[in-house]
Amino acid sequence: MNKYRIVIEPGSENSNYWKDLWNYRGLFYFLAWRDILVRYKQTVIGILWSVLRPLITIVVFTIVFNKLGNFPSDSGAPYAIMVCAGMLPWQFFSSAFSEAANSLIANSNLLTKVYFPRLIVPASTVIVSIIDFLISFVILIGLFFFYHFIPDWRILFLPLFLLLATLTAMGFGLFIAALNVQYRDFRYVIPFIVQFGLYISPIGFSSTIIYNNANIPDYLKFIYALNPMVGVIDGFRWCILGGSSHLHIPQFIASVGISILFLFIGIWYFRKMEKSFADVI
Amino acid sequence: MRNPIITVENISKSYILKHQNNERYTALRDVITNTAKSIFTKQTIINNSKEEFWALKDISFEINQGDRVGIIGRNGAGKSTLLKVLSRIVAPTKGRITIDGRIASLLEVGTGFHPELSGRENIFLNGSILGMSKKEIKNKFDEIVDFSGVEKFLDTPVKRYSSGMYVRLAFAVAAHLEPEILIVDEVLAVGDAEFQKKCLGKMKDVSSEGRTVLFVSHNMGAISALCSTSIILNKGKIEFNGSVDKAVKIYHNIQTTNKNQVYTSQGINKEIFISETYLKNSENENTLAFSHDEPVYVVIKFYANILLDDLLLSISVSDFEDRKIFSSEVLISKVLSVDKKFGEAILEIPSVFLIPNDYKLNVGIHIPNLQVFDFIENICSFSIVDNGSEFSKYVGTDIGCVFSQSKWAII
């Protein structure tokens, strides 16, 4: 028996799918590498875009919410740093999610010509977003210096929340990517989700003002907490701002629960549709 | 005992054809409106517009280690679908395939090439897409560059390449794949003649190393030069599975069906006429397809009610662009007599004479410069099929009408 034996049958679950995924890690690496190389080709300021875009939004949000709207900051940290701690994960999520959701269509020439576990395509696009995130992190460091702000030990937990953000983006991304192959309507849904999410997530303001506001009924607070990005951003702020910033544990668990649930739904649906991608794309 | 490396059992693949919308993809809006309509009208509108189409139907075959199999068939016969199913790009609807070995498929030259990336970067990217590891690519990098002949432009984005350079680089990467089973679709149909020759040579090397090759092409010359066995697909079914020589002929016979095989005439109101003309091969079989390396026999039966001297039977062969290739004639009056009004003449067109192409015959009986008794044009069209000739690499190029037997001397 050859160790490379492949059996092709209709509808059968590929028993060594995850092993295959591991065998194709080289392709995963090269696709990510390609996307990173291509991203800023023929641009003048290149990689600076990764910094410039979030920086300008942070400035605008700080002016609008803090200077004009008089929103209070979390735990007395400078408002710009609080916005930054929300904006960076949000930018990461929105780019990772939209890239992943559009990745199958963008790589349709590969899907119809070569076999590989299709999960590689959306997964590799997330790497680009992670690199972008790490580059844009210099904004936060710049703000630390500007405001003479020193984060405490909690910042060590940041990778954990980055992982949570990644899993959230992957869950939604995989689900929409698979749907997008069949129904191109989702091409229009993606920017809408991203824009809508910007309003319902605590980016320009702090979650605390929602949870501590007696005028907002409890069920609305609960619905607010179901947004997985609320959990991610609150987590980021807990890490970065330190001090008296605290995590609202029940709401945080609800957010994380939704993230995990969507990750499973995303993978399940993606795997279910995967075999027919080349037929319908 | 040899175990088959690929076993295909009763593979079928069906597609649902939707007649209602001509769009390439389904829009959610249509699904919703159709579902809504069907709720209100209580009938399934969507189902009415669907039709099943079987791209492959009940295909079974086995391929042994080291076989070089050519897959031929008309457009839409299911060749590409079969390759896609074998390379796991699409899933079959029914059946089962077992493959014992590492498989790489080359359905397109330069899959995944990114125009913004340089030649060097694309070698790595394309190599990994085709299933090579980074180490493998690094080891073969110099060989690939050498084969492609684009070393001067390695750091130029491929969008600035000429199409020839692009194809050469792409094929160079593909040619250095080392799987146990290689699936190739029509990729030789690109590039200039010299490069095609190089590719064909490389493919031969690959198969002589004992690896299994599945090869789809319309180029019968390439198929017979490269493959040992062949499968003919027709409308999703296997029409023939066996030796490549036979397959090429059968394929050409399928291609030329509906053409008149035998010319017959009752010669109404004619005293002297040609009653029958047909073609046969050296095994006495009636056929319309001949290998370039076998003779073609033209059998002409004639009838003469009156006796005349100097009666000539003449024949000319022309191609479908009405270019006359040659003419030939024979004196027939001497075989005819008062008791023998029928005669038969057989012309042997020698092997390795006509260039692979489609031809037709014109035949006539006449007395030179005096009278034409019978003249029939454009009958018995036949094909000369390339069976691996020295010119098979120049498919699609006009290289003349006949294989010249001219001799070279090189000093």
PDB file of all heavy atoms in Angstrom, chain A residues 1-2 5-6, chain B residues 1-9 60-67 69 97-101 180-181 212 214 241:
ATOM      1  N   MET A   1       0.848  -1.211   0.000  1.00  0.00           N
ATOM      2  CA  MET A   1       0.000   0.000   0.000  1.00  0.00           C
ATOM      3  C   MET A   1       0.873   1.246   0.000  1.00  0.00           C
ATOM      4  O   MET A   1       1.774   1.374   0.800  1.00  0.00           O
ATOM      5  CB  MET A   1      -0.904  -0.041   1.231  1.00  0.00           C
ATOM      6  CG  MET A   1      -1.913   1.064   1.288  1.00  0.00           C
ATOM      7  SD  MET A   1      -3.368   0.759   0.301  1.00  0.00           S
ATOM      8  CE  MET A   1      -3.956  -0.765   1.030  1.00  0.00           C
ATOM      9  N   ASN A   2       0.601   2.103  -0.917  1.00  0.00           N
ATOM     10  CA  ASN A   2       1.369   3.333  -1.034  1.00  0.00           C
ATOM     11  C   ASN A   2       0.902   4.333   0.021  1.00  0.00           C
ATOM     12  O   ASN A   2      -0.275   4.459   0.299  1.00  0.00           O
ATOM     13  CB  ASN A   2       1.129   3.910  -2.435  1.00  0.00           C
ATOM     14  CG  ASN A   2       2.101   5.008  -2.765  1.00  0.00           C
ATOM     15  OD1 ASN A   2       2.215   5.978  -2.013  1.00  0.00           O
ATOM     16  ND2 ASN A   2       2.794   4.857  -3.868  1.00  0.00           N
ATOM     17  N   ARG A   5      -1.697   6.951  -1.004  1.00  0.00           N
ATOM     18  CA  ARG A   5      -2.971   6.519  -1.598  1.00  0.00           C
ATOM     19  C   ARG A   5      -4.073   7.560  -1.407  1.00  0.00           C
ATOM     20  O   ARG A   5      -4.287   8.082  -0.321  1.00  0.00           O
ATOM     21  CB  ARG A   5      -3.398   5.191  -0.981  1.00  0.00           C
ATOM     22  CG  ARG A   5      -4.817   4.806  -1.338  1.00  0.00           C
ATOM     23  CD  ARG A   5      -5.079   3.388  -0.949  1.00  0.00           C
ATOM     24  NE  ARG A   5      -4.616   2.513  -2.020  1.00  0.00           N
ATOM     25  CZ  ARG A   5      -5.293   1.433  -2.429  1.00  0.00           C
ATOM     26  NH1 ARG A   5      -6.407   1.104  -1.848  1.00  0.00           N
ATOM     27  NH2 ARG A   5      -4.813   0.688  -3.389  1.00  0.00           N
ATOM     28  N   ILE A   6      -4.733   7.861  -2.505  1.00  0.00           N
ATOM     29  CA  ILE A   6      -5.843   8.812  -2.470  1.00  0.00           C
ATOM     30  C   ILE A   6      -7.078   8.089  -2.984  1.00  0.00           C
ATOM     31  O   ILE A   6      -7.009   7.413  -4.014  1.00  0.00           O
ATOM     32  CB  ILE A   6      -5.574  10.016  -3.403  1.00  0.00           C
ATOM     33  CG1 ILE A   6      -4.286  10.721  -3.010  1.00  0.00           C
ATOM     34  CG2 ILE A   6      -6.747  10.982  -3.400  1.00  0.00           C
ATOM     35  CD1 ILE A   6      -3.742  11.612  -4.105  1.00  0.00           C
TER      36      ILE A   6
ATOM     37  N   MET B   1       3.694  -9.099 -10.328  1.00  0.00           N
ATOM     38  CA  MET B   1       2.421  -8.624 -10.873  1.00  0.00           C
ATOM     39  C   MET B   1       2.320  -7.120 -10.741  1.00  0.00           C
ATOM     40  O   MET B   1       2.695  -6.540  -9.737  1.00  0.00           O
ATOM     41  CB  MET B   1       1.288  -9.308 -10.101  1.00  0.00           C
ATOM     42  CG  MET B   1      -0.046  -9.154 -10.798  1.00  0.00           C
ATOM     43  SD  MET B   1      -1.418  -9.571  -9.730  1.00  0.00           S
ATOM     44  CE  MET B   1      -2.547  -8.287 -10.157  1.00  0.00           C
ATOM     45  N   ARG B   2       1.824  -6.491 -11.792  1.00  0.00           N
ATOM     46  CA  ARG B   2       1.734  -5.035 -11.753  1.00  0.00           C
ATOM     47  C   ARG B   2       0.388  -4.604 -11.225  1.00  0.00           C
ATOM     48  O   ARG B   2      -0.656  -5.042 -11.678  1.00  0.00           O
ATOM     49  CB  ARG B   2       1.944  -4.475 -13.162  1.00  0.00           C
ATOM     50  CG  ARG B   2       3.379  -4.585 -13.600  1.00  0.00           C
ATOM     51  CD  ARG B   2       3.744  -3.395 -14.432  1.00  0.00           C
ATOM     52  NE  ARG B   2       2.978  -3.364 -15.685  1.00  0.00           N
ATOM     53  CZ  ARG B   2       3.118  -2.387 -16.577  1.00  0.00           C
ATOM     54  NH1 ARG B   2       3.946  -1.409 -16.349  1.00  0.00           N
ATOM     55  NH2 ARG B   2       2.418  -2.406 -17.683  1.00  0.00           N
ATOM     56  N   ASN B   3       0.435  -3.748 -10.254  1.00  0.00           N
ATOM     57  CA  ASN B   3      -0.805  -3.207  -9.740  1.00  0.00           C
ATOM     58  C   ASN B   3      -1.111  -1.906 -10.456  1.00  0.00           C
ATOM     59  O   ASN B   3      -0.218  -1.118 -10.707  1.00  0.00           O
ATOM     60  CB  ASN B   3      -0.671  -2.930  -8.246  1.00  0.00           C
ATOM     61  CG  ASN B   3      -0.888  -4.175  -7.432  1.00  0.00           C
ATOM     62  OD1 ASN B   3      -1.689  -5.032  -7.797  1.00  0.00           O
ATOM     63  ND2 ASN B   3      -0.153  -4.290  -6.346  1.00  0.00           N
ATOM     64  N   PRO B   4      -2.368  -1.672 -10.781  1.00  0.00           N
ATOM     65  CA  PRO B   4      -2.683  -0.383 -11.406  1.00  0.00           C
ATOM     66  C   PRO B   4      -2.398   0.762 -10.437  1.00  0.00           C
ATOM     67  O   PRO B   4      -2.651   0.638  -9.236  1.00  0.00           O
ATOM     68  CB  PRO B   4      -4.165  -0.489 -11.726  1.00  0.00           C
ATOM     69  CG  PRO B   4      -4.674  -1.627 -10.931  1.00  0.00           C
ATOM     70  CD  PRO B   4      -3.534  -2.539 -10.668  1.00  0.00           C
ATOM     71  N   ILE B   5      -1.847   1.839 -10.975  1.00  0.00           N
ATOM     72  CA  ILE B   5      -1.540   2.994 -10.139  1.00  0.00           C
ATOM     73  C   ILE B   5      -2.765   3.895 -10.020  1.00  0.00           C
ATOM     74  O   ILE B   5      -2.973   4.553  -9.016  1.00  0.00           O
ATOM     75  CB  ILE B   5      -0.301   3.732 -10.694  1.00  0.00           C
ATOM     76  CG1 ILE B   5       0.241   4.748  -9.696  1.00  0.00           C
ATOM     77  CG2 ILE B   5      -0.573   4.384 -12.039  1.00  0.00           C
ATOM     78  CD1 ILE B   5       1.652   5.193  -9.995  1.00  0.00           C
ATOM     79  N   ILE B   6      -3.599   3.851 -11.059  1.00  0.00           N
ATOM     80  CA  ILE B   6      -4.870   4.579 -10.995  1.00  0.00           C
ATOM     81  C   ILE B   6      -5.992   3.611 -11.353  1.00  0.00           C
ATOM     82  O   ILE B   6      -5.911   2.934 -12.381  1.00  0.00           O
ATOM     83  CB  ILE B   6      -4.906   5.766 -11.980  1.00  0.00           C
ATOM     84  CG1 ILE B   6      -3.784   6.749 -11.681  1.00  0.00           C
ATOM     85  CG2 ILE B   6      -6.252   6.473 -11.945  1.00  0.00           C
ATOM     86  CD1 ILE B   6      -3.701   7.895 -12.668  1.00  0.00           C
ATOM     87  N   THR B   7      -6.977   3.491 -10.501  1.00  0.00           N
ATOM     88  CA  THR B   7      -8.147   2.675 -10.810  1.00  0.00           C
ATOM     89  C   THR B   7      -9.370   3.571 -10.807  1.00  0.00           C
ATOM     90  O   THR B   7      -9.669   4.196  -9.792  1.00  0.00           O
ATOM     91  CB  THR B   7      -8.331   1.574  -9.754  1.00  0.00           C
ATOM     92  OG1 THR B   7      -7.057   0.982  -9.502  1.00  0.00           O
ATOM     93  CG2 THR B   7      -9.288   0.519 -10.237  1.00  0.00           C
ATOM     94  N   VAL B   8     -10.030   3.623 -11.929  1.00  0.00           N
ATOM     95  CA  VAL B   8     -11.232   4.444 -12.037  1.00  0.00           C
ATOM     96  C   VAL B   8     -12.413   3.508 -12.191  1.00  0.00           C
ATOM     97  O   VAL B   8     -12.424   2.669 -13.089  1.00  0.00           O
ATOM     98  CB  VAL B   8     -11.149   5.398 -13.250  1.00  0.00           C
ATOM     99  CG1 VAL B   8     -12.426   6.190 -13.414  1.00  0.00           C
ATOM    100  CG2 VAL B   8      -9.969   6.341 -13.091  1.00  0.00           C
ATOM    101  N   GLU B   9     -13.371   3.599 -11.268  1.00  0.00           N
ATOM    102  CA  GLU B   9     -14.517   2.687 -11.316  1.00  0.00           C
ATOM    103  C   GLU B   9     -15.812   3.484 -11.456  1.00  0.00           C
ATOM    104  O   GLU B   9     -16.193   4.212 -10.555  1.00  0.00           O
ATOM    105  CB  GLU B   9     -14.582   1.850 -10.032  1.00  0.00           C
ATOM    106  CG  GLU B   9     -13.397   0.924  -9.848  1.00  0.00           C
ATOM    107  CD  GLU B   9     -13.253   0.505  -8.389  1.00  0.00           C
ATOM    108  OE1 GLU B   9     -14.002  -0.385  -7.968  1.00  0.00           O
ATOM    109  OE2 GLU B   9     -12.414   1.079  -7.689  1.00  0.00           O
ATOM    110  N   SER B  60     -14.799   3.764 -16.640  1.00  0.00           N
ATOM    111  CA  SER B  60     -13.956   2.863 -15.864  1.00  0.00           C
ATOM    112  C   SER B  60     -12.701   2.548 -16.664  1.00  0.00           C
ATOM    113  O   SER B  60     -12.788   2.264 -17.849  1.00  0.00           O
ATOM    114  CB  SER B  60     -14.668   1.542 -15.569  1.00  0.00           C
ATOM    115  OG  SER B  60     -15.841   1.769 -14.855  1.00  0.00           O
ATOM    116  N   PHE B  61     -11.572   2.641 -16.034  1.00  0.00           N
ATOM    117  CA  PHE B  61     -10.331   2.181 -16.665  1.00  0.00           C
ATOM    118  C   PHE B  61      -9.245   2.061 -15.611  1.00  0.00           C
ATOM    119  O   PHE B  61      -9.421   2.477 -14.471  1.00  0.00           O
ATOM    120  CB  PHE B  61      -9.897   3.115 -17.796  1.00  0.00           C
ATOM    121  CG  PHE B  61      -9.653   4.542 -17.378  1.00  0.00           C
ATOM    122  CD1 PHE B  61      -8.417   4.940 -16.906  1.00  0.00           C
ATOM    123  CD2 PHE B  61     -10.667   5.481 -17.477  1.00  0.00           C
ATOM    124  CE1 PHE B  61      -8.195   6.250 -16.533  1.00  0.00           C
ATOM    125  CE2 PHE B  61     -10.447   6.798 -17.094  1.00  0.00           C
ATOM    126  CZ  PHE B  61      -9.212   7.176 -16.617  1.00  0.00           C
ATOM    127  N   GLU B  62      -8.156   1.416 -16.006  1.00  0.00           N
ATOM    128  CA  GLU B  62      -7.033   1.271 -15.099  1.00  0.00           C
ATOM    129  C   GLU B  62      -5.783   1.766 -15.797  1.00  0.00           C
ATOM    130  O   GLU B  62      -5.648   1.623 -17.008  1.00  0.00           O
ATOM    131  CB  GLU B  62      -6.841  -0.200 -14.726  1.00  0.00           C
ATOM    132  CG  GLU B  62      -7.866  -0.692 -13.731  1.00  0.00           C
ATOM    133  CD  GLU B  62      -7.632  -2.135 -13.339  1.00  0.00           C
ATOM    134  OE1 GLU B  62      -6.742  -2.778 -13.948  1.00  0.00           O
ATOM    135  OE2 GLU B  62      -8.307  -2.603 -12.427  1.00  0.00           O
ATOM    136  N   ILE B  63      -4.897   2.343 -15.027  1.00  0.00           N
ATOM    137  CA  ILE B  63      -3.634   2.800 -15.596  1.00  0.00           C
ATOM    138  C   ILE B  63      -2.511   2.225 -14.754  1.00  0.00           C
ATOM    139  O   ILE B  63      -2.547   2.309 -13.519  1.00  0.00           O
ATOM    140  CB  ILE B  63      -3.580   4.341 -15.621  1.00  0.00           C
ATOM    141  CG1 ILE B  63      -4.582   4.861 -16.645  1.00  0.00           C
ATOM    142  CG2 ILE B  63      -2.184   4.828 -15.966  1.00  0.00           C
ATOM    143  CD1 ILE B  63      -4.755   6.347 -16.635  1.00  0.00           C
ATOM    144  N   ASN B  64      -1.553   1.606 -15.422  1.00  0.00           N
ATOM    145  CA  ASN B  64      -0.448   1.005 -14.694  1.00  0.00           C
ATOM    146  C   ASN B  64       0.704   1.980 -14.543  1.00  0.00           C
ATOM    147  O   ASN B  64       0.831   2.935 -15.296  1.00  0.00           O
ATOM    148  CB  ASN B  64       0.043  -0.248 -15.425  1.00  0.00           C
ATOM    149  CG  ASN B  64      -0.955  -1.371 -15.332  1.00  0.00           C
ATOM    150  OD1 ASN B  64      -1.528  -1.614 -14.269  1.00  0.00           O
ATOM    151  ND2 ASN B  64      -1.194  -2.033 -16.444  1.00  0.00           N
ATOM    152  N   GLN B  65       1.551   1.660 -13.602  1.00  0.00           N
ATOM    153  CA  GLN B  65       2.754   2.457 -13.366  1.00  0.00           C
ATOM    154  C   GLN B  65       3.558   2.560 -14.659  1.00  0.00           C
ATOM    155  O   GLN B  65       3.798   1.560 -15.329  1.00  0.00           O
ATOM    156  CB  GLN B  65       3.574   1.767 -12.279  1.00  0.00           C
ATOM    157  CG  GLN B  65       4.997   2.226 -12.162  1.00  0.00           C
ATOM    158  CD  GLN B  65       5.198   3.056 -10.921  1.00  0.00           C
ATOM    159  OE1 GLN B  65       4.734   2.694  -9.858  1.00  0.00           O
ATOM    160  NE2 GLN B  65       5.896   4.158 -11.071  1.00  0.00           N
ATOM    161  N   GLY B  66       3.956   3.753 -15.019  1.00  0.00           N
ATOM    162  CA  GLY B  66       4.799   3.945 -16.200  1.00  0.00           C
ATOM    163  C   GLY B  66       4.045   4.067 -17.502  1.00  0.00           C
ATOM    164  O   GLY B  66       4.647   4.294 -18.537  1.00  0.00           O
ATOM    165  N   ASP B  67       2.726   3.896 -17.466  1.00  0.00           N
ATOM    166  CA  ASP B  67       1.942   4.068 -18.692  1.00  0.00           C
ATOM    167  C   ASP B  67       1.940   5.537 -19.113  1.00  0.00           C
ATOM    168  O   ASP B  67       1.943   6.427 -18.271  1.00  0.00           O
ATOM    169  CB  ASP B  67       0.477   3.659 -18.453  1.00  0.00           C
ATOM    170  CG  ASP B  67       0.291   2.180 -18.587  1.00  0.00           C
ATOM    171  OD1 ASP B  67       1.301   1.503 -18.857  1.00  0.00           O
ATOM    172  OD2 ASP B  67      -0.840   1.700 -18.400  1.00  0.00           O
ATOM    173  N   VAL B  69      -0.559   7.677 -21.134  1.00  0.00           N
ATOM    174  CA  VAL B  69      -1.901   7.564 -21.699  1.00  0.00           C
ATOM    175  C   VAL B  69      -2.329   8.882 -22.327  1.00  0.00           C
ATOM    176  O   VAL B  69      -2.282   9.923 -21.681  1.00  0.00           O
ATOM    177  CB  VAL B  69      -2.916   7.173 -20.606  1.00  0.00           C
ATOM    178  CG1 VAL B  69      -4.284   6.947 -21.216  1.00  0.00           C
ATOM    179  CG2 VAL B  69      -2.447   5.926 -19.881  1.00  0.00           C
ATOM    180  N   ILE B  97     -12.442   6.496  -7.384  1.00  0.00           N
ATOM    181  CA  ILE B  97     -11.118   6.502  -8.001  1.00  0.00           C
ATOM    182  C   ILE B  97     -10.094   6.234  -6.916  1.00  0.00           C
ATOM    183  O   ILE B  97     -10.176   6.814  -5.837  1.00  0.00           O
ATOM    184  CB  ILE B  97     -10.802   7.867  -8.654  1.00  0.00           C
ATOM    185  CG1 ILE B  97     -11.818   8.207  -9.737  1.00  0.00           C
ATOM    186  CG2 ILE B  97      -9.400   7.877  -9.239  1.00  0.00           C
ATOM    187  CD1 ILE B  97     -11.683   9.604 -10.294  1.00  0.00           C
ATOM    188  N   THR B  98      -9.175   5.316  -7.196  1.00  0.00           N
ATOM    189  CA  THR B  98      -8.088   5.079  -6.252  1.00  0.00           C
ATOM    190  C   THR B  98      -6.782   5.434  -6.936  1.00  0.00           C
ATOM    191  O   THR B  98      -6.511   4.956  -8.034  1.00  0.00           O
ATOM    192  CB  THR B  98      -8.052   3.605  -5.820  1.00  0.00           C
ATOM    193  OG1 THR B  98      -9.391   3.179  -5.586  1.00  0.00           O
ATOM    194  CG2 THR B  98      -7.234   3.420  -4.579  1.00  0.00           C
ATOM    195  N   ILE B  99      -6.008   6.265  -6.309  1.00  0.00           N
ATOM    196  CA  ILE B  99      -4.733   6.688  -6.884  1.00  0.00           C
ATOM    197  C   ILE B  99      -3.626   6.356  -5.892  1.00  0.00           C
ATOM    198  O   ILE B  99      -3.689   6.751  -4.732  1.00  0.00           O
ATOM    199  CB  ILE B  99      -4.733   8.205  -7.175  1.00  0.00           C
ATOM    200  CG1 ILE B  99      -5.839   8.542  -8.185  1.00  0.00           C
ATOM    201  CG2 ILE B  99      -3.390   8.646  -7.714  1.00  0.00           C
ATOM    202  CD1 ILE B  99      -6.076  10.019  -8.361  1.00  0.00           C
ATOM    203  N   ASP B 100      -2.629   5.600  -6.361  1.00  0.00           N
ATOM    204  CA  ASP B 100      -1.533   5.211  -5.482  1.00  0.00           C
ATOM    205  C   ASP B 100      -0.276   5.968  -5.857  1.00  0.00           C
ATOM    206  O   ASP B 100       0.596   5.419  -6.526  1.00  0.00           O
ATOM    207  CB  ASP B 100      -1.278   3.700  -5.588  1.00  0.00           C
ATOM    208  CG  ASP B 100      -2.199   2.929  -4.680  1.00  0.00           C
ATOM    209  OD1 ASP B 100      -2.470   3.435  -3.585  1.00  0.00           O
ATOM    210  OD2 ASP B 100      -2.639   1.835  -5.066  1.00  0.00           O
ATOM    211  N   GLY B 101      -0.185   7.196  -5.443  1.00  0.00           N
ATOM    212  CA  GLY B 101       1.048   7.900  -5.738  1.00  0.00           C
ATOM    213  C   GLY B 101       0.848   9.393  -5.662  1.00  0.00           C
ATOM    214  O   GLY B 101      -0.275   9.884  -5.632  1.00  0.00           O
ATOM    215  N   GLU B 180       4.856  11.180  -9.145  1.00  0.00           N
ATOM    216  CA  GLU B 180       4.794   9.850  -9.749  1.00  0.00           C
ATOM    217  C   GLU B 180       3.788   9.821 -10.885  1.00  0.00           C
ATOM    218  O   GLU B 180       3.913   9.060 -11.821  1.00  0.00           O
ATOM    219  CB  GLU B 180       4.426   8.814  -8.681  1.00  0.00           C
ATOM    220  CG  GLU B 180       5.596   8.499  -7.769  1.00  0.00           C
ATOM    221  CD  GLU B 180       5.187   8.277  -6.330  1.00  0.00           C
ATOM    222  OE1 GLU B 180       4.082   7.765  -6.095  1.00  0.00           O
ATOM    223  OE2 GLU B 180       5.979   8.619  -5.438  1.00  0.00           O
ATOM    224  N   ILE B 181       2.763  10.668 -10.773  1.00  0.00           N
ATOM    225  CA  ILE B 181       1.741  10.733 -11.811  1.00  0.00           C
ATOM    226  C   ILE B 181       1.619  12.187 -12.256  1.00  0.00           C
ATOM    227  O   ILE B 181       1.465  13.080 -11.425  1.00  0.00           O
ATOM    228  CB  ILE B 181       0.376  10.261 -11.288  1.00  0.00           C
ATOM    229  CG1 ILE B 181       0.503   8.867 -10.681  1.00  0.00           C
ATOM    230  CG2 ILE B 181      -0.663  10.280 -12.393  1.00  0.00           C
ATOM    231  CD1 ILE B 181      -0.627   8.512  -9.763  1.00  0.00           C
ATOM    232  N   THR B 212       4.210   7.975 -14.563  1.00  0.00           N
ATOM    233  CA  THR B 212       2.962   7.807 -15.291  1.00  0.00           C
ATOM    234  C   THR B 212       2.497   9.168 -15.792  1.00  0.00           C
ATOM    235  O   THR B 212       2.511  10.122 -15.036  1.00  0.00           O
ATOM    236  CB  THR B 212       1.906   7.215 -14.350  1.00  0.00           C
ATOM    237  OG1 THR B 212       2.506   6.096 -13.696  1.00  0.00           O
ATOM    238  CG2 THR B 212       0.682   6.786 -15.096  1.00  0.00           C
ATOM    239  N   LEU B 214      -0.580  11.267 -17.913  1.00  0.00           N
ATOM    240  CA  LEU B 214      -1.879  11.356 -18.590  1.00  0.00           C
ATOM    241  C   LEU B 214      -1.868  12.649 -19.376  1.00  0.00           C
ATOM    242  O   LEU B 214      -1.610  13.704 -18.810  1.00  0.00           O
ATOM    243  CB  LEU B 214      -3.017  11.408 -17.574  1.00  0.00           C
ATOM    244  CG  LEU B 214      -3.715  10.108 -17.287  1.00  0.00           C
ATOM    245  CD1 LEU B 214      -2.953   9.382 -16.213  1.00  0.00           C
ATOM    246  CD2 LEU B 214      -5.116  10.367 -16.853  1.00  0.00           C
ATOM    247  N   ASN B 241     -10.280   2.156 -25.775  1.00  0.00           N
ATOM    248  CA  ASN B 241      -9.177   2.180 -24.820  1.00  0.00           C
ATOM    249  C   ASN B 241      -8.188   1.135 -25.281  1.00  0.00           C
ATOM    250  O   ASN B 241      -8.478  -0.055 -25.248  1.00  0.00           O
ATOM    251  CB  ASN B 241      -9.717   1.868 -23.418  1.00  0.00           C
ATOM    252  CG  ASN B 241      -8.636   1.957 -22.366  1.00  0.00           C
ATOM    253  OD1 ASN B 241      -7.471   2.247 -22.681  1.00  0.00           O
ATOM    254  ND2 ASN B 241      -8.994   1.705 -21.129  1.00  0.00           N
TER     255      ASN B 241
END
